[in-house]
Structure formats: C-alpha cells, structure tokens
Amino acid sequence: PTLKRWAMCEIAVNSALPPTAKVRVCDVDVNRERAYFTYDLLTHLNKTRGDTHEFSFVIGTDWLTKETNIREWESDVGGKRVVTGHKLIEEFDFLVLKRPGHPAYGELSDYGPRFSYLDVDGDSTKFIEGAGSSTDVRNCLKDTHDYDAVAGLVPAAVLAFMRRH
C-alpha cells in the first residue's frame, strides 16, 4: 500500500501541477517499516538533503481547524511520544492547499509566520485548490465501493491508476 500511495502522489503532482512547480514527491518513507512523524521526516530530509533542496510541508486547509492544533503534534523520541509541533512550525515552511468547503479557521498568520498558500508557478495571485483529501477519498470508497464516486476528488490519472491497481 505504501508504494501505491507514493505512486499516486507522483501521478497527482505530475498531472495536476505545471512542470515548473517547485513541488516534488519524496520516496523516503516508501521502504520504511513505519512512516516518520512529520517533524522527524522534515528534520531527516534537511540533514540528508538540505544542502541541495528546500523542504516544506504541504497541508490542506482541512487541517487548519479550530480543533486541530499543529503545535501539539508529536514525534517518537526513544520510543516515547514527545510534542514537537511547536518546533515544526518554527523550523519549516508550510504550503497550504485550499480545499473547497474547508476554509482555514482564521488567518494563515494565526498558525505561524511560515504558512502560505501554495500558488501556481510562482504567481501569488493564482492558488492551487484540491477537491478532496486522502481521508475523503478513503471514506467515499469505503462507503460506496465505487471508484466513480471519487471522480473529481482525485486527478483523472490517479483514478485510472486506482482502477487498475
């Protein structure tokens, strides 16, 4: 399943964004037994590839709610859960994908100074929107068992991949 999720991310990015967009999918978690926590992943990428790449966390506005406090997100430190969300917000940029029907709660600046909307090809007047989150897609498929039901939530190329695999 991890390899398929990675493949769908590759397909989505390469079919939905312009080729000049500075967004790439990373395979660092594909062969791991367990995925990194967000802060740990970005810290690892910075240490191993930070001299040639810049890393940001892409998040949908569906995560920017009154109930979700990113500052409380955790990491695994020596087998113990430790809150590192505050460090995540201080040390990394967040690129926010607008989700129709899921506006951000408050202003982006309320979350921290490193939050900005994901724009199209460097044009800060044009923003990228995504119709559905992976959770929306999974829930829809669980409820309907019908791939046609997720058309419009994922790019057509991703839907074709899902049907074949």
Side-chain angles (χ1 to χ4, degrees), residues 59-70:
I59 191 170
T61 51
D62 52 322
W63 275 98
L64 302 180
T65 67
K66 187 176 183 178
E67 296 80 26
T68 303
N69 186 349
I70 297 170

Side-chain angles (χ1 to χ4, degrees), residues 3-162:
L3 185 58
K4 287 181 181 176
R5 284 194 301 271
W6 172 80
M8 288 186 281
C9 287
E10 278 286 353
I11 293 166
V13 165
N14 288 296
S15 64
L17 298 178
T20 53
K22 294 182 179 184
V23 176
R24 303 290 180 264
V25 177
C26 181
D27 64 355
V28 72
D29 267 346
V30 171
N31 294 313
R32 286 180 51 90
E33 192 173 308
R34 195 170 139 221
Y36 280 106
F37 285 82
T38 305
Y39 177 76
D40 301 335
L41 172 62
L42 289 170
T43 300
H44 170 76
L45 290 171
N46 249 356
K47 286 181 183 173
T48 59
R49 305 176 190 183
D51 56 335
T52 58
H53 296 78
E54 290 181 28
F55 297 98
S56 300
F57 186 56
V58 178
I59 191 170
T61 51
D62 52 322
W63 275 98
L64 302 180
T65 67
K66 187 176 183 178
E67 296 80 26
T68 303
N69 186 349
I70 297 170
R71 286 177 169 73
E72 294 176 358
W73 286 10
E74 299 175 331
S75 291
D76 182 15
V77 179
K80 292 177 65 176
R81 292 273 180 108
V82 176
V83 174
T84 54
H86 59 290
K87 293 168 67 174
L88 178 66
I89 289 172
E90 291 167 8
E91 297 175 23
F92 296 99
D93 292 330
F94 281 70
L95 299 177
V96 180
L97 181 67
K98 290 184 177 184
R99 295 268 166 84
H102 299 280
Y105 177 77
E107 299 296 322
L108 284 189
S109 59
D110 296 340
Y111 296 92
R114 299 181 75 160
F115 283 71
S116 62
Y117 285 110
L118 185 58
D119 62 38
V120 177
D121 209 14
D123 183 346
S124 61
T125 64
K126 297 179 184 174
F127 298 104
I128 296 172
E129 290 189 5
S133 68
S134 58
T135 302
D136 292 338
V137 172
R138 281 191 299 275
N139 287 341
C140 185
L141 287 173
K142 186 174 89 177
D143 293 344
T144 66
H145 305 287
D146 180 10
Y147 286 106
D148 289 336
V150 297
L153 294 178
V154 298
V158 173
L159 182 57
F161 180 89
M162 291 169 64

